[in-house]
Amino acid sequence: MVEMLIAGERTAGEAGEAIPVVDPATGQTLAEVPRGTVQDVDRAVNSAHEAFADWQRTDAEDRANLLRKAIALIERDRKALTESLVHEQGKPVTEAAGEIHHLLHGLNYYADLATKVRGTHQALPSALSKAYGMVLRRPMGVVAAIVPNNFPLTLLGTKLGPALMAGNTVVVKPAATTPLTTLKIAELLLEAEIPPGVVNVVTGRGSEVGDALVTHDKVRRVAFTGSTAVGRHIMGLAAPKLKRMTMELGGSDPVIVAPDANIKAAARGIAIGRFWNCGQMCLGGKRLYVFEEVYDELMEQLVRTVGKYEPGLGWEKAEKPAIRVGPLHTSSGRDEILEQLQDALDTGGELLLGGEAPDGDGYFMQPTIVADPATDSRVAREETFGPVLPVWKVSDLDEAIQLSNDSEYGLGASVWTNDIRVINRVANEVEAGMKWVNQFHYGYDELPFGGVKQSGYGKEHGQEGLDYYLEDISVVIGGLE
Ligand code: NAP
Ligand code: MG
């Protein structure tokens, strides 16, 4: 069993039970991890709470140097970490390498910011002789970092970097299906001499470990990335204790293609924006709206481009460049996306490409494009977390914006045009927290990222990402006469 990490030590936990971690490309068990319990969460939170006493007093520069040491160790082990991620998540090795790159980039960014946290000072002119005020920026304490299965490392980094550099300590709950590489990273943090207890990892199920973390009295801040359904659930659990929370939730990003778009670039960008990570993206172009003037031309190019995307084993990608999608991450995830596709076909959708889930042990599915399902079908209303792209023809920008906003989600959006009036309207009127023009997916990690509507609230990335791990505390200093 690959044990979890509490207070700097490996442990099998209280339950003594194991959960298998499966390779989605083969259906084979890779390893087992402990089924963490409420007691394990309590130990981990208490260890983080104790470690906080010293960590918050450690010089910011020293904290940054410890993180830089850990970054060097992650770089040293990059190849092994990449392979581990491919096997537990399923993504092609090039995408896994990209994830490690973003992890390192993000950690470096926050190591650099550690010494740049600045409060403010307020001298009251009329009371200058009596008092002055200042705003301190203090860490919060123990952070619960709950991470999903689609980007286990990038989304670990977006929490660990700012949480640690702001002076907080952390208990990580990785997804039950992707704990292995996270545990390796946590070992490297220890090897870098980040003190025991500053980062703990409790493996196990969301309903057990996640719930216990969110309701624990000593957890001050919850950094959650995952589905909107689970986000709603934990927000309810955390409400009685008024925890600070960020909610990075699901999405159903609209993509609009205007008549003047560069169709070749759009077809390529839309393909990547939908089928990267086998379509298991929070930010993914999940609803395509194409002006009728360019519909035929775009669809012809898009079907040709995506038609070349072969599903295959993630670790063979380096030798077989045609492999563009790995398997779905779970068999239940594949069942769900197949049901959503069937609903699209039942409500009038026409299959333009793919649609098949090949027999075999892995959870593979062909990249799929479906034209004109009903606008209240499941692919239009729900998040589709897999390789299915629904597309609709629109007659003008009003219709494109109206359909884009006809969703409970508001995570990302993309528009393909060089017309500044169209760009301006999409930038202002489409309801989404992150937008691209003639792009989908440029990983601009320095910009704050987060959703609107039921895609959540709060920001990760950028300076703002750090702000969410600090409390502003006002202090009035008197007695100066
Ligand atoms: P998920 O099922 O919501 O799980 C996310 C995390 O929450 C996992 O660690 C999960 O643990 C845990 N969890 C599950 N039930 C819980 C509970 N009752 N209490 C506390 N924690 C619980 O999401 P997923 O399937 O891993 O990931 C896909 C979803 O994440 C999609 O909706 C995607 O859009 C979203 N996402 C959003 C962003 C963003 O930045 N907005 C980024 C990436 C992904 P278990 O694994 O044990 O269930
Ligand atoms: Mg899930």
Side-chain angles (χ1 to χ4, degrees), residues 49-122:
H49 185 72
E50 278 162 33
F52 178 63
D54 283 342
W55 186 247
Q56 62 168 325
R57 293 191 178 89
T58 304
D59 281 358
E61 180 115 42
D62 293 339
R63 287 199 297 252
N65 285 334
L66 287 169
L67 185 59
R68 289 197 183 98
K69 220 165 137 188
I71 289 167
L73 295 175
I74 295 171
E75 271 166 0
R76 180 196 70 192
D77 290 358
R78 198 176 198 143
K79 191 159 179 284
L81 293 167
T82 307
E83 278 167 19
S84 167
L85 181 61
V86 169
H87 282 284
E88 69 176 335
Q89 208 288 329
K91 61 185 69 196
V93 65
T94 42
E95 295 189 19
E99 218 190 305
I100 308 253
H101 166 81
H102 280 286
L103 167 74
L104 289 167
H105 182 80
L107 293 179
N108 262 311
Y109 180 86
Y110 288 107
D112 288 347
L113 274 191
T115 54
K116 298 176 185 67
V117 175
R118 285 171 59 178
T120 53
H121 159 257
Q122 166 87 60

Side-chain angles (χ1 to χ4, degrees), residues 170-254:
V170 184
V171 180
V172 179
K173 189 255 176 268
T177 50
T178 52
L180 299 175
T181 323
T182 301
L183 283 165
K184 290 188 208 291
I185 302 273
E187 276 292 345
L188 295 178
L189 298 181
L190 268 183
E191 193 183 332
E193 292 178 67
I194 291 178
V198 170
V199 177
N200 307 270
V201 180
V202 182
T203 57
R205 304 219 161 85
S207 52
E208 193 169 13
V209 172
D211 284 7
L213 263 178
V214 168
T215 49
H216 198 292
D217 277 327
K218 288 184 184 145
V219 168
R220 293 289 161 76
R221 155 91 161 86
V222 177
F224 176 77
T225 304
S227 59
T228 295
V230 173
R232 268 187 208 114
H233 165 77
I234 65 169
M235 208 173 149
L237 285 183
K241 291 178 182 158
L242 295 165
K243 308 272 188 208
R244 307 295 184 267
M245 302 186 101
T246 42
M247 288 279 162
E248 302 289 350
L249 309 180
S252 179
D253 302 351

